[in-house]
């Protein structure tokens, strides 16, 4: 589903990713581990198109997206849960989900009700603005919003960063449920 071949990504003159390669098969979950500053976020930014690599290739579902703009990659079924959540603080939970809604391509798609089924706490807080949610609720919302794009592959950058252990388990359970459902 996703192949990253020998990519080299820079910030200015700083050569951050030096020959990174990986592959993700359909239905597979892959985890990238490393200390802060090792390039995990840069790898995700390179895949989605925020910081395109200067060398190498990123291929998604057989199409070279190395230099494609992010909206094109997302339109092809690549989803993103960014580091730092990046929810819309003045929009309600429901509005945050609705703004990302994209029709599924002939498959069982993600709807607001299906996201609420995965994260019941979001349904209870559906009218609350994003900036009035706890950190864990904001992370659930960021994941739910990404699911509303009906991705075939979901990139998650630091999905449990700064969360209480009980919320880490809840997010971990949600990721396991997504894998069981066949999401890469």
């Amino acid at each position: 589903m996703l192949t990253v071949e020998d990519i080299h990504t820079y910030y200015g003159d700083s050569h951050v990713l030096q020959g990174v390669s990986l592959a993700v098969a359909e239905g597979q979950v892959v985890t990238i581990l490393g200390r802060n500053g090792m390039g995990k976020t840069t790898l995700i930014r390179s895949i989605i198109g925020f910081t395109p690599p200067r060398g190498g290739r990123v291929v998604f579902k057989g199409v070279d997206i190395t230099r494609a703009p992010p909206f094109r990659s997302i339109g092809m079924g690549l989803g993103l849960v960014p580091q730092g959540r990046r929810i819309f603080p003045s929009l309600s939970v429901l509005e945050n989900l609705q703004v990302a809604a994209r029709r599924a391509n002939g498959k069982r798609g993600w709807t607001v009700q299906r996201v609420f089924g995965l994260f019941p706490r979001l349904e209870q807080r559906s009218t609350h603005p994003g900036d009035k949610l706890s950190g864990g609720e904001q992370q659930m919302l960021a994941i739910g919003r990404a699911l509303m794009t009906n991705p075939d592959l979901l990139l998650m950058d630091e999905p449990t960063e700064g969360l209480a252990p009980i919320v880490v388990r809840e997010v971990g359970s949600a990721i396991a449920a997504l894998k069981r459902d066949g999401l890469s």
Side-chain angles (χ1 to χ4, degrees):
M1 179 162 286
L2 175 71
T3 305
V4 176
E5 301 171 349
D6 192 34
I7 63 170
H8 294 262
T9 303
Y10 294 74
Y11 290 115
D13 292 332
S14 296
H15 192 180
V16 178
L17 297 183
Q18 302 176 19
V20 174
S21 297
L22 64 88
V24 180
E26 188 171 343
Q28 184 179 30
V29 173
V30 173
T31 303
I32 307 297
L33 300 173
R35 295 189 324 231
N36 290 341
M38 299 301 289
K40 300 178 303 292
T41 295
T42 301
L43 174 61
I44 287 178
R45 290 179 59 84
S46 296
I47 293 169
I48 200 79
F50 292 149
T51 309
R54 290 189 196 170
R57 290 179 358 133
V58 177
V59 178
F60 179 56
K61 297 195 301 191
V63 177
D64 188 334
I65 61 167
T66 308
R67 286 168 187 65
F71 75 87
R72 181 120 335 118
S73 302
I74 290 170
M76 291 176 57
L78 195 55
L80 174 65
V81 179
Q83 184 178 22
R85 301 173 190 119
R86 307 259 190 234
I87 61 165
F88 298 107
S90 63
L91 297 183
S92 71
V93 167
L94 182 59
E95 291 166 336
N96 264 279
L97 295 173
Q98 290 172 329
V99 76
R102 183 175 150 290
R103 188 184 333 230
N105 294 327
K107 60 183 177 185
R108 180 176 161 222
W110 283 92
T111 63
V112 169
Q113 286 309 311
R114 192 165 171 215
V115 169
F116 287 164
L118 184 64
F119 297 117
R121 195 172 326 167
L122 292 181
E123 184 171 22
Q124 298 164 2
R125 311 267 298 172
S126 65
T127 61
H128 289 76
D131 64 354
K132 301 298 183 211
L133 303 176
S134 70
E137 291 166 341
Q138 288 182 12
Q139 188 62 37
M140 292 172 199
L141 180 56
I143 295 168
R145 185 184 59 199
L147 291 171
M148 290 296 292
T149 68
N150 282 295
D152 297 312
L153 187 143
L154 183 61
L155 300 171
M156 302 177 84
D157 193 359
E158 303 276 0
T160 61
E161 177 183 37
L163 301 181
I166 193 163
V167 180
V168 169
R169 283 191 293 278
E170 194 169 346
V171 169
S173 294
I175 292 169
L178 295 173
K179 182 183 185 317
R180 283 191 304 275
D181 203 41
L183 184 63
S184 302

